[in-house]
Structure formats: C-alpha cells, structure tokens
Amino acid sequence: MVKKHSFTYLGKIIGVLLVALLTLLLISEVKIGLAVIATTIFALQIVAGASCLVLCTRKLSFTWQELAGFGLAIGSLLTFGFDQVFRTTAISGMAWLIPVLILPLITYQKIRTGERVLSIEQPINIDILLILAATLFIVATEWFWPLPIAIFLTSVFVWKEFPKYKTYSLLLSFFSLIISVITFLRRPVGWWIEDTDVALYEAMSRTLGTWGFRENINAAGNTTHYHWFAYAWSGLIDRVGNAESWITNTRILPIFIALGIVLMIWSVLKVLFNNRIIIICSLIAISCFDTAQSWGRGFKIGYLASPSQIYGYLLLLAFLYLFAIDQDEKTSKSLFLFALLGFGAVGAKVAHGVLLAG
C-alpha cells in the first residue's frame, strides 16, 4: 500500500526545490515575472514526466530525485514535442499542456483504483543542499561566480550530515559566505555569455517558438535540420514567458538542465549502489569535473555555451537510469520511454545518438 503521508513529503520537498530554483534564476539576473513562469513550466514538466515514468515501468518505490530528474527529461520532451507538432494549428498556444493535463490524471486514476501500488521514499531534507551545490559546481565551470556559493552549500551539508566535522565545516561556511557575497557583487557585466554561437541558438529558439521546426529564420522557407530539441524547449519558455532575447538560452536553460543532470546522476548512483556515502562523494566528484583548458574549453560536465550539448547529456543519463531499473522489471511499456529518450538524444545532439548506440 502507499506509505502514509509519502506524497505529502514529496510535495514539500519538490516545493522547496522549486523555491530554490526560483532563487537561482533571480540571482542569475532573470526578472521575477519570467522566473516565476519558467519555474512553473519546470514544475509542470516534472509532473508530466514523472507520471509517464510511473505508468510505463513496474517500479513501485521512487525517490524524489528520480521523479524530479527523470520527470524533467521526459516531461520537457513531451511538452515541447506537442508544442512543435501543433505549432501551426488552432490549439498552438495550449498544445504543450496536453501531456501535463492527461498523464497525471491517468496516473492518479490508476493509483486511486489500486491498479498501481506506489510508494515514495521519505526524503532527507538536507539532500537538497547537496543537489543545489552540485548544480552550482557544474555551472561554475563557465560562470565562475557561483563557485563560492557551491562551497558554502556543501559546507552546510557536511555540517548537518557529518557532525564530527562540524568545526571545520562551520569555518568553511563562514569564509565561503563572505567570498560569495563579494564575488556576486563584483561579477562582470555579461558574465552569462562567452560564445558567438549563442546568436545562432537564439535565432533557432525564436523560429521554433514562433513558427515551429517547419521554418528556419536562418534560411527562410526551409525546415530546421540542425539538432534543435533544446532550442524548441527554450522557444517554448520564450513564448509563454514573453522573455527578452538571450535570457532563456544563456541563463534559464543552463540552470534547468544542470539541475536535471545532478538529479539524474543521483538517481543512477542510487539504483547502482544504494550507498549514501558513495552517492555523496561521487556526486561532488562528478559535478566538479573539469580538465585544464589546454585546448579549446577542455572537458566538463556542463558545457553551458551549448544547451544542446548538456540537454543531450541529460537524456543520456535518463536512458541509463531507465536501463538500470528495467533489468529486473522488464515491461513492453518501457520500450516507449527508451524510444523517446533515444529519439530525443539524437534530436538534442546528433553525436549523443552515436554515444547512445555505443
């Protein structure tokens, strides 16, 4: 049977996550109105995608990280997918809401009637500190100013999780907080952009958000052939939120995708190891990964200058997670999710399709 209050716990922790996300957007110079709309879209995509995960797998117990991370990956694909398919129809303005309205209703009906027995693992509230810290470690490889904030959140997490390091973590949190304030106030104008390709991404987003993939502002009268899935997502946010140019591709989408990547890394580690210490240490190590910039940009987990790159990575992680949970609970319904994620990985970045085939 469903654990008592489990969905209440889930709602509270997701609510805290959304407030934290909204705060990240605001300090990243996203206007409050757009930040609220973007966070709402983020939440609705999680609801749609998480419902799809529950419907298409036999897994009966989930963590909030699994539902939020996988929900974002699948939910984003479904919402901008419907938006693009119906872009030139009479329901073009509301088509993206179809999976948001239908999938949760079906899931609720199956749970209410007992067709699905589902439980949510009671969340550990301080986990969200580590999730946010890892997200900021990823974006700090290019934005730089979030680094001391990430260290501050990590030190607070260590203080709560490992009492024997309380003195050291308190000292680190104090100094990192001071440095965070100074770094935030002194960050340069234009910290959010450093790549000339952003103009191309912006053109695609505006095309996809207005006319759909059957048009191309860079080559009028031609369809969009470039791997464009991430830019269809940003185009949806641009249109619904009436966003100014450059905002979604350079600030909103990188934060969304980086957070999704962290949630999926946590989920994969949880399935493979189910060991809290391994999850904590591995997540920090992975999110901090960045080679010396000896040529070009080096290698990093979050390549923020290319939303298609990191979105493809999010979908690859979602595919790996699904593969891991499907080993003992095979169901024909999961083939739909595998196909959707595979198609999405290719559409996000062609090279990621090759990685997925490998």
Side-chain angles (χ1 to χ4, degrees), residues 73-147:
I74 288 293
S76 59
L77 278 172
L78 290 173
T79 50
F80 74 66
F82 272 85
D83 185 59
Q84 289 299 305
V85 169
F86 295 98
R87 187 87 296 272
T88 57
T89 68
I91 62 169
S92 60
M94 304 296 292
W96 69 278
L97 286 171
I98 293 174
V100 175
L101 297 174
I102 294 178
L103 290 173
L105 286 177
I106 298 174
T107 304
Y108 173 76
Q109 181 67 17
K110 288 186 175 295
I111 293 175
R112 189 180 68 85
T113 58
E115 294 181 51
R116 284 300 310 270
V117 180
L118 186 66
S119 65
I120 309 298
E121 293 185 25
Q122 182 173 336
I124 301 175
N125 293 335
I126 62 170
D127 286 351
I128 200 166
L129 291 174
L130 189 63
I131 297 289
L132 294 174
T135 301
L136 291 175
F137 275 128
I138 289 177
V139 299
T141 56
E142 291 195 19
W143 290 357
F144 305 112
W145 61 266
L147 180 58

Side-chain angles (χ1 to χ4, degrees), residues 145 178-188:
W145 61 266
I178 295 175
I179 297 172
S180 297
V181 174
I182 296 173
T183 305
F184 176 78
L185 294 176
R186 294 180 61 86
R187 62 185 178 182

Side-chain angles (χ1 to χ4, degrees), residues 169-205:
S169 58
L170 280 175
L171 286 173
L172 182 59
S173 63
F174 175 74
F175 287 111
S176 60
L177 179 59
I178 295 175
I179 297 172
S180 297
V181 174
I182 296 173
T183 305
F184 176 78
L185 294 176
R186 294 180 61 86
R187 62 185 178 182
V189 176
W191 54 264
W192 42 269
I193 182 171
E194 60 171 75
D195 196 291
T196 55
D197 283 349
V198 171
L200 171 64
Y201 307 152
E202 190 66 20
M204 284 192 292
S205 296

